[in-house]
Every structure is written in C-alpha cells, then in structure tokens.
Amino acid sequence: MLKEIGSGIWQVEGPKPGPHIVVIGGTHGDERTGIEVVKSLQPMFAGGEKRVEKGKLTLILGNEEAIRLVKRATLPEHNLNRLFSDGHLAGPVLDFYESRRAHQLAPILSTADISIDIHSTALPSMPFLANLFGAKREKVYRWFGTDIVLADPDFILGGHRASTDEYVESCGGIGICFETGWEKDTSTRAVVTESILNILADQGLMKPDGPLRPPKRKYRKYQFSKRVPLTKAGFRYAGDYSGSFQDVKKGEIIGYHGDVPEIAEEDSAIVLQKSREKWAIGDELFFLARRVK
Ligand SMILES: [Zn+2]
C-alpha cells in the first residue's frame, strides 16, 4: 500500500524486485498539470485500484510550499529545479524552503532508476521533452504525446547541472522531464496520467490494463545552443517570434538590444521565450536551440 513517507511524498514497494520509478509534479508550484497528475495517481495506488507488483514507485509533490501559494517558487530566485546542483547539495541546508526540499528529495532521486518530472509552460507551446536523447530514455519517453526532444547536454539552461532529471542522470538513472504544453490546456492532465501508467506497466511495475502498444515516433531533436539575456539596453523583437520551436535561419536578425542586433549564428529554433511582463535584466529573453540530426 502507498505510504506517505514525508510531506507530499508517497511510496509503495512491490513484492518482487524491480526498478524504482519516481514521478514528480509541482516542482514549479504554479504548473497545475503535474500537480493534478500526481494527485490523480496517488489515490489509485493508495486505494488499491492499481498495485505495484515489482520495484518501487515514489510520487512527489515537488515544491509543496509554492503549490500552496500557487506560485512558481516561494520567491522568484528560489527555483527548486536549479537546486539539484553538486554545489548546493554538498553544502549546508540554506534558510529557505526550496533548499530544505532539495536536500530532502535528493536522496530519493539518487536511488531512482527512472525519474519523471512534469512541467508546463506559461505561454502556449507544443508539448516537448526536455531531457537527454538516447535509446534507453526513448523507451521511457515514447509514451508521452510529443515528437520533440530538447536536450541540454552543455547545461546552457541552468549554467550547470541543476534540475531533477540532470541530477538523476548524474546518479546513473534515467531523468525525464516532460513539458506538457500550455498550462491553461487542462485536457493534457488525463493524457499525461495515462502515459505514466503505460510507462509503469512497460517497466513491469504493474500489470497493463490491456496489451501495450508503444507509439512509433520519429523525433525532432534539438539541443540548447545559446542563452539570450535581457541587457540594460533593452530589447525589441524584429518580427513575430512568439511561435513555439519557431525556425530562425543563419544570419537572421531576431531583434535588437538597443542598436545591437541579435543575429542567429546558425539555423536554429527559438525556444522558451519569456512573456514581456516577466522580463528582467540579466534573465533570459529566450534560448536558441540547434537541430540535431
Ligand atoms: Zn516548470
């Protein structure tokens, strides 16, 4: 039976050995989809509707304090998904909730064979996977409804290894991060829950309801190549670059920092654009990602 082993952390172990799978929602407290997915899986395993036959399942509400506040984090600078870094985890627990939470979750994540962290975007976006490529990961993430994978092997997003999936990978597990798409699209919740149940069945943790039919997908693979921050000079786009994974050609002027053009150095896609009201000097305006063949 599923037991609460910590605040917002539930775990159940099957009678036979098998992989440890960790499912996290609400690492960012205002991204409802992942929170709803964890909250719908929790009673299925607590109530006996679903049974873990092999291995171990851990369900986590990531940033519980921020979930209560309906905010991304308790303070904007306390992004829980940047705190799974070697430096932070090796140091003392700092005097804020996310530091305590990262230190509490790290030992669980370090024993995960597979972790699945569910995020969603503030602006309309196609769903995509934000984790490394590779056949062993694809066997897991193929169940999610997307054909886009955006990897960050050079840690351009956080500057260093810092997210749950990156931490799990550094511990020898498979770290998956699924961006379900636009937060306001509530239809994804049931679909994402179904994808996770399929992953659990495919990994042998539980019996499938029917025959498993893994989707066959041809992936568009991207890799973060550049972070473009807002400078004191300000920024204006040279055109409409609001599309999700919108192509930009080598030499194309995307916009201007004051008078200085931001020119694409190679054929890329523009990703993770920040909405204007969230712009802050030093923070990213957007990222560029190159297509990987
Ligand atoms: Zn997020």
Side-chain angles (χ1 to χ4, degrees):
M1 217 55 144
L2 195 71
K3 281 201 206 87
E4 189 162 16
I5 60 162
S7 185
I9 308 169
W10 298 270
Q11 200 167 69
V12 56
E13 197 160 356
K16 294 182 199 152
H20 177 201
I21 300 186
V22 178
V23 179
I24 316 165
T27 299
H28 294 135
D30 58 352
E31 297 173 7
R32 291 296 313 170
T33 303
I35 299 163
E36 297 297 333
V37 167
V38 167
K39 285 186 173 173
S40 52
L41 290 169
Q42 195 268 343
M44 289 181 195
F45 288 93
E49 181 195 334
K50 304 282 183 197
R51 296 166 69 95
V52 171
E53 320 239 325
K54 278 186 201 166
K56 200 192 308 191
L57 172 67
T58 306
L59 303 174
I60 298 174
L61 290 173
N63 191 333
E64 269 206 305
E65 279 297 313
I67 292 169
R68 271 191 270 277
L69 298 166
V70 199
K71 284 188 168 167
R72 185 173 174 82
T74 60
L75 284 173
E77 60 271 31
H78 295 165
N79 182 351
L80 178 60
N81 214 28
R82 295 286 175 275
L83 291 173
F84 295 92
S85 62
D86 294 341
H88 177 249
L89 293 175
V93 179
L94 305 176
D95 194 20
F96 58 93
Y97 173 77
E98 285 83 355
S99 177
R100 294 191 288 278
R101 192 61 162 170
H103 279 273
Q104 183 187 17
L105 298 182
I108 299 171
L109 291 171
S110 70
T111 68
D113 294 290
I114 298 169
S115 76
I116 301 163
D117 196 354
I118 305 153
H119 291 256
S120 40
T121 49
L123 294 176
S125 163
M126 290 184 272
F128 62 96
L129 289 146
N131 47 244
L132 298 174
F133 315 130
K136 66 175 183 178
R137 298 177 192 93
E138 189 172 325
K139 186 177 189 304
V140 181
Y141 65 59
R142 61 185 174 170
W143 294 99
F144 287 115
T146 180
D147 58 2
I148 300 175
V149 190
L150 174 59
D152 189 18
D154 303 323
F155 306 113
I156 287 173
L157 192 62
H160 50 266
R161 180 165 64 223
S163 63
T164 61
D165 53 290
E166 290 165 350
Y167 178 63
V168 168
E169 290 280 342
S170 78
C171 298
I174 292 173
I176 303 296
C177 171
F178 183 48
E179 293 275 359
T180 64
W182 191 26
E183 180 47 45
K184 300 281 189 293
D185 178 8
T186 55
S187 71
T188 54
R189 292 168 191 178
V191 181
V192 175
T193 304
E194 199 54 44
S195 300
I196 289 176
L197 290 171
N198 279 329
I199 291 169
L200 298 180
D202 192 28
Q203 295 293 327
L205 261 76
M206 51 178 248
K207 285 206 183 82
D209 290 334
L212 283 171
R213 293 192 182 84
K216 288 223 176 344
R217 300 184 197 278
K218 184 134 181 53
Y219 285 96
R220 279 162 61 193
K221 295 176 180 173
Y222 294 91
Q223 173 171 335
F224 279 98
S225 49
K226 190 181 182 187
R227 175 180 183 272
V228 180
L230 180 67
T231 67
K232 288 199 185 85
F235 187 77
R236 66 186 167 87
Y237 279 105
D240 180 8
Y241 288 95
S242 59
S244 115
F245 291 87
Q246 185 174 338
D247 285 331
V248 292
K249 290 266 166 274
K250 182 180 175 176
E252 191 170 327
I253 296 175
I254 300 165
Y256 297 89
H257 306 272
D259 298 331
V260 183
E262 177 68 41
I263 303 170
E265 287 154 28
E266 56 191 333
D267 289 354
S268 310
I270 185 163
V271 297
L272 306 189
Q273 301 94 318
K274 275 247 173 77
S275 57
R276 189 171 289 266
E277 66 273 13
K278 290 192 178 163
W279 285 9
I281 289 169
D283 270 7
E284 58 273 5
L285 295 159
F286 57 85
F287 293 87
L288 292 170
R290 94 171 65 91
R291 187 82 181 259
V292 180
K293 293 291 171 240

PDB file of all heavy atoms in Angstrom, residues 27-28 30-31 72 79 81 118-121 177 179, ligand 1:
ATOM      1  N   THR A  27       7.143  20.702  -9.226  1.00  0.00           N
ATOM      2  CA  THR A  27       8.490  21.225  -8.941  1.00  0.00           C
ATOM      3  C   THR A  27       8.430  22.749  -9.069  1.00  0.00           C
ATOM      4  O   THR A  27       9.104  23.470  -8.337  1.00  0.00           O
ATOM      5  CB  THR A  27       9.505  20.619  -9.935  1.00  0.00           C
ATOM      6  OG1 THR A  27       9.499  19.205  -9.752  1.00  0.00           O
ATOM      7  CG2 THR A  27      10.902  21.148  -9.706  1.00  0.00           C
ATOM      8  N   HIS A  28       7.605  23.207 -10.006  1.00  0.00           N
ATOM      9  CA  HIS A  28       7.193  24.611 -10.049  1.00  0.00           C
ATOM     10  C   HIS A  28       5.727  24.663  -9.608  1.00  0.00           C
ATOM     11  O   HIS A  28       4.866  24.036 -10.226  1.00  0.00           O
ATOM     12  CB  HIS A  28       7.363  25.183 -11.463  1.00  0.00           C
ATOM     13  CG  HIS A  28       8.807  25.243 -11.872  1.00  0.00           C
ATOM     14  ND1 HIS A  28       9.265  24.841 -13.097  1.00  0.00           N
ATOM     15  CD2 HIS A  28       9.899  25.669 -11.166  1.00  0.00           C
ATOM     16  CE1 HIS A  28      10.589  25.020 -13.140  1.00  0.00           C
ATOM     17  NE2 HIS A  28      10.983  25.507 -11.983  1.00  0.00           N
ATOM     18  N   ASP A  30       3.192  26.562  -9.665  1.00  0.00           N
ATOM     19  CA  ASP A  30       2.049  27.111 -10.408  1.00  0.00           C
ATOM     20  C   ASP A  30       1.773  26.322 -11.683  1.00  0.00           C
ATOM     21  O   ASP A  30       0.971  26.739 -12.516  1.00  0.00           O
ATOM     22  CB  ASP A  30       2.274  28.597 -10.736  1.00  0.00           C
ATOM     23  CG  ASP A  30       3.553  28.830 -11.538  1.00  0.00           C
ATOM     24  OD1 ASP A  30       4.336  27.865 -11.709  1.00  0.00           O
ATOM     25  OD2 ASP A  30       3.769  29.965 -11.984  1.00  0.00           O
ATOM     26  N   GLU A  31       2.440  25.186 -11.853  1.00  0.00           N
ATOM     27  CA  GLU A  31       2.210  24.372 -13.051  1.00  0.00           C
ATOM     28  C   GLU A  31       1.260  23.240 -12.666  1.00  0.00           C
ATOM     29  O   GLU A  31       1.671  22.185 -12.188  1.00  0.00           O
ATOM     30  CB  GLU A  31       3.555  23.875 -13.604  1.00  0.00           C
ATOM     31  CG  GLU A  31       4.442  25.051 -14.039  1.00  0.00           C
ATOM     32  CD  GLU A  31       5.854  24.652 -14.448  1.00  0.00           C
ATOM     33  OE1 GLU A  31       6.147  23.440 -14.533  1.00  0.00           O
ATOM     34  OE2 GLU A  31       6.663  25.568 -14.667  1.00  0.00           O
ATOM     35  N   ARG A  72       5.314  29.905  -8.692  1.00  0.00           N
ATOM     36  CA  ARG A  72       6.394  29.076  -9.232  1.00  0.00           C
ATOM     37  C   ARG A  72       7.324  28.617  -8.111  1.00  0.00           C
ATOM     38  O   ARG A  72       7.729  27.454  -8.058  1.00  0.00           O
ATOM     39  CB  ARG A  72       7.174  29.910 -10.259  1.00  0.00           C
ATOM     40  CG  ARG A  72       8.238  29.172 -10.998  1.00  0.00           C
ATOM     41  CD  ARG A  72       8.793  30.086 -12.103  1.00  0.00           C
ATOM     42  NE  ARG A  72       9.931  29.506 -12.773  1.00  0.00           N
ATOM     43  CZ  ARG A  72       9.853  28.612 -13.763  1.00  0.00           C
ATOM     44  NH1 ARG A  72       8.671  28.198 -14.192  1.00  0.00           N
ATOM     45  NH2 ARG A  72      10.938  28.144 -14.328  1.00  0.00           N
ATOM     46  N   ASN A  79      14.207  28.866  -7.395  1.00  0.00           N
ATOM     47  CA  ASN A  79      13.731  27.854  -8.334  1.00  0.00           C
ATOM     48  C   ASN A  79      14.212  26.472  -7.887  1.00  0.00           C
ATOM     49  O   ASN A  79      15.400  26.163  -7.979  1.00  0.00           O
ATOM     50  CB  ASN A  79      14.263  28.207  -9.730  1.00  0.00           C
ATOM     51  CG  ASN A  79      13.795  27.239 -10.794  1.00  0.00           C
ATOM     52  OD1 ASN A  79      13.203  26.204 -10.496  1.00  0.00           O
ATOM     53  ND2 ASN A  79      14.069  27.583 -12.042  1.00  0.00           N
ATOM     54  N   ASN A  81      14.024  23.695  -9.234  1.00  0.00           N
ATOM     55  CA  ASN A  81      14.647  22.883 -10.286  1.00  0.00           C
ATOM     56  C   ASN A  81      16.038  23.388 -10.695  1.00  0.00           C
ATOM     57  O   ASN A  81      16.574  22.969 -11.711  1.00  0.00           O
ATOM     58  CB  ASN A  81      13.728  22.806 -11.512  1.00  0.00           C
ATOM     59  CG  ASN A  81      13.844  21.469 -12.213  1.00  0.00           C
ATOM     60  OD1 ASN A  81      14.166  20.460 -11.582  1.00  0.00           O
ATOM     61  ND2 ASN A  81      13.598  21.460 -13.508  1.00  0.00           N
ATOM     62  N   ILE A 118       7.199  16.466 -14.269  1.00  0.00           N
ATOM     63  CA  ILE A 118       6.200  17.004 -15.201  1.00  0.00           C
ATOM     64  C   ILE A 118       6.071  18.511 -15.029  1.00  0.00           C
ATOM     65  O   ILE A 118       5.778  19.000 -13.941  1.00  0.00           O
ATOM     66  CB  ILE A 118       4.826  16.335 -14.971  1.00  0.00           C
ATOM     67  CG1 ILE A 118       4.975  14.820 -15.060  1.00  0.00           C
ATOM     68  CG2 ILE A 118       3.808  16.820 -15.995  1.00  0.00           C
ATOM     69  CD1 ILE A 118       3.940  14.096 -14.258  1.00  0.00           C
ATOM     70  N   HIS A 119       6.306  19.216 -16.123  1.00  0.00           N
ATOM     71  CA  HIS A 119       6.232  20.679 -16.133  1.00  0.00           C
ATOM     72  C   HIS A 119       5.225  21.134 -17.179  1.00  0.00           C
ATOM     73  O   HIS A 119       4.794  20.348 -18.023  1.00  0.00           O
ATOM     74  CB  HIS A 119       7.600  21.266 -16.481  1.00  0.00           C
ATOM     75  CG  HIS A 119       8.621  21.062 -15.398  1.00  0.00           C
ATOM     76  ND1 HIS A 119       9.013  22.057 -14.557  1.00  0.00           N
ATOM     77  CD2 HIS A 119       9.308  19.955 -15.018  1.00  0.00           C
ATOM     78  CE1 HIS A 119       9.910  21.590 -13.709  1.00  0.00           C
ATOM     79  NE2 HIS A 119      10.101  20.318 -13.955  1.00  0.00           N
ATOM     80  N   SER A 120       4.875  22.425 -17.140  1.00  0.00           N
ATOM     81  CA  SER A 120       4.108  23.006 -18.233  1.00  0.00           C
ATOM     82  C   SER A 120       4.520  24.456 -18.410  1.00  0.00           C
ATOM     83  O   SER A 120       5.205  25.023 -17.564  1.00  0.00           O
ATOM     84  CB  SER A 120       2.604  22.867 -17.990  1.00  0.00           C
ATOM     85  OG  SER A 120       2.298  23.102 -16.647  1.00  0.00           O
ATOM     86  N   THR A 121       4.119  25.030 -19.535  1.00  0.00           N
ATOM     87  CA  THR A 121       4.625  26.351 -19.902  1.00  0.00           C
ATOM     88  C   THR A 121       3.569  27.433 -19.679  1.00  0.00           C
ATOM     89  O   THR A 121       2.373  27.188 -19.829  1.00  0.00           O
ATOM     90  CB  THR A 121       5.073  26.367 -21.375  1.00  0.00           C
ATOM     91  OG1 THR A 121       4.047  25.797 -22.180  1.00  0.00           O
ATOM     92  CG2 THR A 121       6.352  25.576 -21.570  1.00  0.00           C
ATOM     93  N   CYS A 177      12.151  14.779 -18.279  1.00  0.00           N
ATOM     94  CA  CYS A 177      11.396  15.985 -17.970  1.00  0.00           C
ATOM     95  C   CYS A 177      10.412  16.201 -19.102  1.00  0.00           C
ATOM     96  O   CYS A 177      10.821  16.376 -20.253  1.00  0.00           O
ATOM     97  CB  CYS A 177      12.341  17.181 -17.844  1.00  0.00           C
ATOM     98  SG  CYS A 177      11.472  18.760 -17.709  1.00  0.00           S
ATOM     99  N   GLU A 179       7.478  18.520 -20.637  1.00  0.00           N
ATOM    100  CA  GLU A 179       6.746  19.789 -20.656  1.00  0.00           C
ATOM    101  C   GLU A 179       5.444  19.501 -21.392  1.00  0.00           C
ATOM    102  O   GLU A 179       5.445  19.254 -22.600  1.00  0.00           O
ATOM    103  CB  GLU A 179       7.560  20.868 -21.395  1.00  0.00           C
ATOM    104  CG  GLU A 179       8.839  21.278 -20.680  1.00  0.00           C
ATOM    105  CD  GLU A 179       8.612  22.365 -19.622  1.00  0.00           C
ATOM    106  OE1 GLU A 179       7.460  22.824 -19.451  1.00  0.00           O
ATOM    107  OE2 GLU A 179       9.593  22.751 -18.959  1.00  0.00           O
TER     108      GLU A 179
HETATM  109 ZN    ZN B   1       8.384  24.066 -14.729  1.00  0.00          ZN
END
